[in-house]
mmCIF file of all heavy atoms in Angstrom:
data_model
loop_
_atom_site.group_PDB
_atom_site.id
_atom_site.type_symbol
_atom_site.label_atom_id
_atom_site.label_comp_id
_atom_site.label_asym_id
_atom_site.label_seq_id
_atom_site.Cartn_x
_atom_site.Cartn_y
_atom_site.Cartn_z
ATOM 1 N N THR S 111 3.516 -2.675 32.056
ATOM 2 C CA THR S 111 2.343 -3.548 32.081
ATOM 3 C C THR S 111 2.166 -4.270 30.758
ATOM 4 O O THR S 111 1.425 -5.231 30.683
ATOM 5 C CB THR S 111 1.074 -2.740 32.394
ATOM 6 O OG1 THR S 111 0.825 -1.808 31.331
ATOM 7 C CG2 THR S 111 1.218 -1.992 33.696
ATOM 8 N N ARG S 112 2.832 -3.797 29.710
ATOM 9 C CA ARG S 112 2.683 -4.410 28.392
ATOM 10 C C ARG S 112 3.928 -5.130 27.941
ATOM 11 O O ARG S 112 3.920 -5.835 26.940
ATOM 12 C CB ARG S 112 2.327 -3.331 27.350
ATOM 13 C CG ARG S 112 0.978 -2.678 27.583
ATOM 14 C CD ARG S 112 0.704 -1.628 26.525
ATOM 15 N NE ARG S 112 0.792 -2.189 25.188
ATOM 16 C CZ ARG S 112 0.731 -1.453 24.081
ATOM 17 N NH1 ARG S 112 0.599 -0.155 24.167
ATOM 18 N NH2 ARG S 112 0.795 -2.027 22.903
ATOM 19 N N GLY S 113 5.020 -4.936 28.631
ATOM 20 C CA GLY S 113 6.249 -5.553 28.206
ATOM 21 C C GLY S 113 7.047 -4.634 27.297
ATOM 22 O O GLY S 113 6.740 -3.455 27.167
ATOM 23 N N PRO S 114 8.097 -5.121 26.666
ATOM 24 C CA PRO S 114 8.969 -4.286 25.848
ATOM 25 C C PRO S 114 8.274 -3.806 24.574
ATOM 26 O O PRO S 114 7.164 -4.225 24.261
ATOM 27 C CB PRO S 114 10.138 -5.224 25.517
ATOM 28 C CG PRO S 114 9.556 -6.591 25.627
ATOM 29 C CD PRO S 114 8.529 -6.526 26.712
ATOM 30 N N GLU S 115 8.947 -2.945 23.868
ATOM 31 C CA GLU S 115 8.393 -2.412 22.626
ATOM 32 C C GLU S 115 7.979 -3.545 21.692
ATOM 33 O O GLU S 115 8.669 -4.552 21.560
ATOM 34 C CB GLU S 115 9.420 -1.518 21.938
ATOM 35 C CG GLU S 115 9.711 -0.239 22.698
ATOM 36 C CD GLU S 115 10.743 0.611 21.983
ATOM 37 O OE1 GLU S 115 11.586 0.036 21.269
ATOM 38 O OE2 GLU S 115 10.704 1.843 22.136
ATOM 39 N N GLU S 116 6.855 -3.354 21.030
ATOM 40 C CA GLU S 116 6.315 -4.378 20.160
ATOM 41 C C GLU S 116 6.588 -4.028 18.703
ATOM 42 O O GLU S 116 6.583 -2.865 18.322
ATOM 43 C CB GLU S 116 4.804 -4.515 20.389
ATOM 44 C CG GLU S 116 4.434 -4.933 21.803
ATOM 45 C CD GLU S 116 2.929 -4.950 22.012
ATOM 46 O OE1 GLU S 116 2.204 -4.619 21.058
ATOM 47 O OE2 GLU S 116 2.496 -5.291 23.118
ATOM 48 N N TYR S 117 6.793 -5.077 17.907
ATOM 49 C CA TYR S 117 7.036 -4.897 16.483
ATOM 50 C C TYR S 117 5.864 -5.459 15.688
ATOM 51 O O TYR S 117 5.088 -6.276 16.190
ATOM 52 C CB TYR S 117 8.350 -5.571 16.071
ATOM 53 C CG TYR S 117 9.561 -4.782 16.525
ATOM 54 C CD1 TYR S 117 10.021 -4.877 17.832
ATOM 55 C CD2 TYR S 117 10.201 -3.904 15.653
ATOM 56 C CE1 TYR S 117 11.100 -4.128 18.263
ATOM 57 C CE2 TYR S 117 11.284 -3.155 16.073
ATOM 58 C CZ TYR S 117 11.726 -3.265 17.369
ATOM 59 O OH TYR S 117 12.792 -2.511 17.798
ATOM 60 N N TYR S 118 5.757 -5.008 14.471
ATOM 61 C CA TYR S 118 4.670 -5.426 13.598
ATOM 62 C C TYR S 118 4.583 -6.948 13.553
ATOM 63 O O TYR S 118 5.568 -7.626 13.321
ATOM 64 C CB TYR S 118 4.907 -4.851 12.195
ATOM 65 C CG TYR S 118 3.944 -5.331 11.140
ATOM 66 C CD1 TYR S 118 2.584 -5.012 11.198
ATOM 67 C CD2 TYR S 118 4.385 -6.105 10.072
ATOM 68 C CE1 TYR S 118 1.706 -5.443 10.226
ATOM 69 C CE2 TYR S 118 3.506 -6.536 9.087
ATOM 70 C CZ TYR S 118 2.175 -6.207 9.174
ATOM 71 O OH TYR S 118 1.300 -6.646 8.211
ATOM 72 N N ARG S 119 3.395 -7.469 13.820
ATOM 73 C CA ARG S 119 3.082 -8.898 13.841
ATOM 74 C C ARG S 119 3.816 -9.657 14.942
ATOM 75 O O ARG S 119 3.929 -10.880 14.904
ATOM 76 C CB ARG S 119 3.345 -9.531 12.465
ATOM 77 C CG ARG S 119 2.311 -9.111 11.419
ATOM 78 C CD ARG S 119 2.577 -9.697 10.048
ATOM 79 N NE ARG S 119 2.681 -11.158 10.091
ATOM 80 C CZ ARG S 119 3.002 -11.910 9.041
ATOM 81 N NH1 ARG S 119 3.239 -11.334 7.881
ATOM 82 N NH2 ARG S 119 3.052 -13.209 9.158
ATOM 83 N N GLY S 120 4.309 -8.923 15.926
ATOM 84 C CA GLY S 120 4.908 -9.561 17.088
ATOM 85 C C GLY S 120 6.046 -10.495 16.734
ATOM 86 O O GLY S 120 6.964 -10.137 16.011
ATOM 87 N N ALA S 121 5.962 -11.717 17.249
ATOM 88 C CA ALA S 121 7.034 -12.692 17.041
ATOM 89 C C ALA S 121 6.852 -13.504 15.757
ATOM 90 O O ALA S 121 7.698 -14.340 15.434
ATOM 91 C CB ALA S 121 7.116 -13.632 18.240
ATOM 92 N N GLU S 122 5.780 -13.256 15.009
ATOM 93 C CA GLU S 122 5.502 -14.068 13.814
ATOM 94 C C GLU S 122 6.633 -14.003 12.791
ATOM 95 O O GLU S 122 6.908 -14.985 12.084
ATOM 96 C CB GLU S 122 4.213 -13.592 13.140
ATOM 97 C CG GLU S 122 2.947 -13.920 13.892
ATOM 98 C CD GLU S 122 1.721 -13.446 13.123
ATOM 99 O OE1 GLU S 122 1.611 -13.789 11.923
ATOM 100 O OE2 GLU S 122 0.899 -12.724 13.690
ATOM 101 N N LEU S 123 7.278 -12.848 12.677
ATOM 102 C CA LEU S 123 8.312 -12.678 11.655
ATOM 103 C C LEU S 123 9.704 -13.031 12.158
ATOM 104 O O LEU S 123 10.662 -13.010 11.384
ATOM 105 C CB LEU S 123 8.310 -11.230 11.141
ATOM 106 C CG LEU S 123 7.006 -10.750 10.501
ATOM 107 C CD1 LEU S 123 7.130 -9.289 10.086
ATOM 108 C CD2 LEU S 123 6.630 -11.599 9.297
ATOM 109 N N ASP S 124 9.825 -13.380 13.440
ATOM 110 C CA ASP S 124 11.139 -13.651 14.024
ATOM 111 C C ASP S 124 11.917 -14.755 13.312
ATOM 112 O O ASP S 124 13.142 -14.639 13.144
ATOM 113 C CB ASP S 124 11.003 -13.992 15.509
ATOM 114 C CG ASP S 124 10.715 -12.763 16.355
ATOM 115 O OD1 ASP S 124 10.741 -11.640 15.799
ATOM 116 O OD2 ASP S 124 10.444 -12.917 17.569
ATOM 117 N N PRO S 125 11.273 -15.854 12.878
ATOM 118 C CA PRO S 125 12.062 -16.894 12.196
ATOM 119 C C PRO S 125 12.794 -16.380 10.960
ATOM 120 O O PRO S 125 13.941 -16.785 10.709
ATOM 121 C CB PRO S 125 11.002 -17.944 11.825
ATOM 122 C CG PRO S 125 9.922 -17.753 12.846
ATOM 123 C CD PRO S 125 9.876 -16.281 13.101
ATOM 124 N N TRP S 126 12.186 -15.487 10.211
ATOM 125 C CA TRP S 126 12.828 -14.952 9.008
ATOM 126 C C TRP S 126 13.863 -13.897 9.369
ATOM 127 O O TRP S 126 14.928 -13.834 8.756
ATOM 128 C CB TRP S 126 11.770 -14.376 8.056
ATOM 129 C CG TRP S 126 10.915 -15.451 7.477
ATOM 130 C CD1 TRP S 126 11.156 -16.187 6.346
ATOM 131 C CD2 TRP S 126 9.697 -15.970 8.023
ATOM 132 N NE1 TRP S 126 10.163 -17.116 6.141
ATOM 133 C CE2 TRP S 126 9.250 -17.005 7.162
ATOM 134 C CE3 TRP S 126 8.925 -15.660 9.143
ATOM 135 C CZ2 TRP S 126 8.080 -17.714 7.377
ATOM 136 C CZ3 TRP S 126 7.760 -16.361 9.390
ATOM 137 C CH2 TRP S 126 7.348 -17.378 8.519
ATOM 138 N N LYS S 127 13.560 -13.085 10.370
ATOM 139 C CA LYS S 127 14.544 -12.096 10.820
ATOM 140 C C LYS S 127 15.819 -12.789 11.304
ATOM 141 O O LYS S 127 16.935 -12.354 11.006
ATOM 142 C CB LYS S 127 13.955 -11.242 11.945
ATOM 143 C CG LYS S 127 12.845 -10.294 11.512
ATOM 144 C CD LYS S 127 12.319 -9.500 12.702
ATOM 145 C CE LYS S 127 11.224 -8.535 12.298
ATOM 146 N NZ LYS S 127 10.688 -7.762 13.453
ATOM 147 N N GLU S 128 15.643 -13.880 12.044
ATOM 148 C CA GLU S 128 16.795 -14.584 12.607
ATOM 149 C C GLU S 128 17.558 -15.348 11.524
ATOM 150 O O GLU S 128 18.793 -15.369 11.513
ATOM 151 C CB GLU S 128 16.327 -15.536 13.708
ATOM 152 C CG GLU S 128 15.774 -14.810 14.930
ATOM 153 C CD GLU S 128 15.069 -15.730 15.910
ATOM 154 O OE1 GLU S 128 15.082 -16.975 15.654
ATOM 155 O OE2 GLU S 128 14.502 -15.247 16.901
ATOM 156 N N LYS S 129 16.837 -15.964 10.601
ATOM 157 C CA LYS S 129 17.493 -16.743 9.551
ATOM 158 C C LYS S 129 18.322 -15.869 8.626
ATOM 159 O O LYS S 129 19.452 -16.219 8.265
ATOM 160 C CB LYS S 129 16.448 -17.512 8.743
ATOM 161 C CG LYS S 129 17.029 -18.302 7.569
ATOM 162 C CD LYS S 129 15.946 -19.037 6.796
ATOM 163 C CE LYS S 129 16.535 -19.779 5.599
ATOM 164 N NZ LYS S 129 15.493 -20.503 4.813
ATOM 165 N N TYR S 130 17.761 -14.713 8.239
ATOM 166 C CA TYR S 130 18.437 -13.860 7.263
ATOM 167 C C TYR S 130 19.231 -12.725 7.910
ATOM 168 O O TYR S 130 20.059 -12.102 7.247
ATOM 169 C CB TYR S 130 17.410 -13.272 6.282
ATOM 170 C CG TYR S 130 16.849 -14.302 5.341
ATOM 171 C CD1 TYR S 130 15.732 -15.069 5.684
ATOM 172 C CD2 TYR S 130 17.435 -14.540 4.097
ATOM 173 C CE1 TYR S 130 15.215 -16.014 4.828
ATOM 174 C CE2 TYR S 130 16.926 -15.492 3.229
ATOM 175 C CZ TYR S 130 15.816 -16.232 3.600
ATOM 176 O OH TYR S 130 15.305 -17.184 2.740
ATOM 177 N N GLY S 131 18.954 -12.420 9.167
ATOM 178 C CA GLY S 131 19.733 -11.404 9.852
ATOM 179 C C GLY S 131 19.322 -9.974 9.552
ATOM 180 O O GLY S 131 20.164 -9.079 9.505
ATOM 181 N N PHE S 132 18.009 -9.734 9.356
ATOM 182 C CA PHE S 132 17.548 -8.365 9.169
ATOM 183 C C PHE S 132 16.627 -7.988 10.322
ATOM 184 O O PHE S 132 16.154 -8.842 11.075
ATOM 185 C CB PHE S 132 16.830 -8.196 7.831
ATOM 186 C CG PHE S 132 15.572 -9.003 7.672
ATOM 187 C CD1 PHE S 132 14.365 -8.564 8.182
ATOM 188 C CD2 PHE S 132 15.585 -10.222 7.008
ATOM 189 C CE1 PHE S 132 13.191 -9.307 8.036
ATOM 190 C CE2 PHE S 132 14.425 -10.979 6.850
ATOM 191 C CZ PHE S 132 13.224 -10.521 7.382
ATOM 192 N N GLY S 133 16.383 -6.695 10.465
ATOM 193 C CA GLY S 133 15.511 -6.216 11.539
ATOM 194 C C GLY S 133 16.056 -4.931 12.124
ATOM 195 O O GLY S 133 16.837 -4.223 11.489
ATOM 196 N N PRO S 134 15.667 -4.604 13.350
ATOM 197 C CA PRO S 134 16.194 -3.412 14.009
ATOM 198 C C PRO S 134 17.715 -3.467 14.060
ATOM 199 O O PRO S 134 18.300 -4.518 14.328
ATOM 200 C CB PRO S 134 15.582 -3.475 15.405
ATOM 201 C CG PRO S 134 14.374 -4.336 15.256
ATOM 202 C CD PRO S 134 14.709 -5.330 14.199
ATOM 203 N N CYS S 135 18.360 -2.342 13.799
ATOM 204 C CA CYS S 135 19.816 -2.356 13.725
ATOM 205 C C CYS S 135 20.371 -0.961 14.001
ATOM 206 O O CYS S 135 19.631 0.022 14.056
ATOM 207 C CB CYS S 135 20.277 -2.837 12.348
ATOM 208 S SG CYS S 135 19.696 -1.787 10.987
ATOM 209 N N GLU S 136 21.674 -0.907 14.138
ATOM 210 C CA GLU S 136 22.353 0.377 14.267
ATOM 211 C C GLU S 136 22.271 1.129 12.939
ATOM 212 O O GLU S 136 22.213 0.499 11.870
ATOM 213 C CB GLU S 136 23.816 0.164 14.646
ATOM 214 C CG GLU S 136 24.031 -0.466 16.019
ATOM 215 C CD GLU S 136 23.507 0.424 17.131
ATOM 216 O OE1 GLU S 136 23.658 1.664 17.026
ATOM 217 O OE2 GLU S 136 22.954 -0.126 18.103
ATOM 218 N N PRO S 137 22.274 2.457 12.990
ATOM 219 C CA PRO S 137 22.156 3.234 11.731
ATOM 220 C C PRO S 137 23.145 2.822 10.647
ATOM 221 O O PRO S 137 22.788 2.715 9.476
ATOM 222 C CB PRO S 137 22.395 4.673 12.205
ATOM 223 C CG PRO S 137 21.897 4.683 13.612
ATOM 224 C CD PRO S 137 22.271 3.332 14.177
ATOM 225 N N LYS S 138 24.383 2.523 11.028
ATOM 226 C CA LYS S 138 25.389 2.183 10.020
ATOM 227 C C LYS S 138 25.120 0.830 9.368
ATOM 228 O O LYS S 138 25.702 0.518 8.314
ATOM 229 C CB LYS S 138 26.777 2.192 10.646
ATOM 230 C CG LYS S 138 26.988 1.132 11.723
ATOM 231 C CD LYS S 138 28.389 1.220 12.315
ATOM 232 C CE LYS S 138 28.598 0.133 13.377
ATOM 233 N NZ LYS S 138 29.966 0.210 13.957
ATOM 234 N N GLU S 139 24.257 0.007 9.992
ATOM 235 C CA GLU S 139 23.964 -1.323 9.469
ATOM 236 C C GLU S 139 22.690 -1.362 8.625
ATOM 237 O O GLU S 139 22.268 -2.439 8.184
ATOM 238 C CB GLU S 139 23.826 -2.320 10.623
ATOM 239 C CG GLU S 139 25.080 -2.504 11.452
ATOM 240 C CD GLU S 139 26.197 -3.148 10.645
ATOM 241 O OE1 GLU S 139 25.880 -3.953 9.752
ATOM 242 O OE2 GLU S 139 27.374 -2.831 10.905
#
Side-chain angles (χ1 to χ4, degrees):
T111 65
R112 295 180 56 187
E115 292 180 332
E116 299 176 359
Y117 285 81
Y118 173 65
R119 288 178 55 185
E122 289 182 52
L123 300 178
D124 285 354
W126 292 273
K127 291 180 179 179
E128 293 169 4
K129 177 180 178 180
Y130 289 88
F132 63 83
C135 60
E136 295 297 322
K138 64 181 181 180
E139 297 294 328

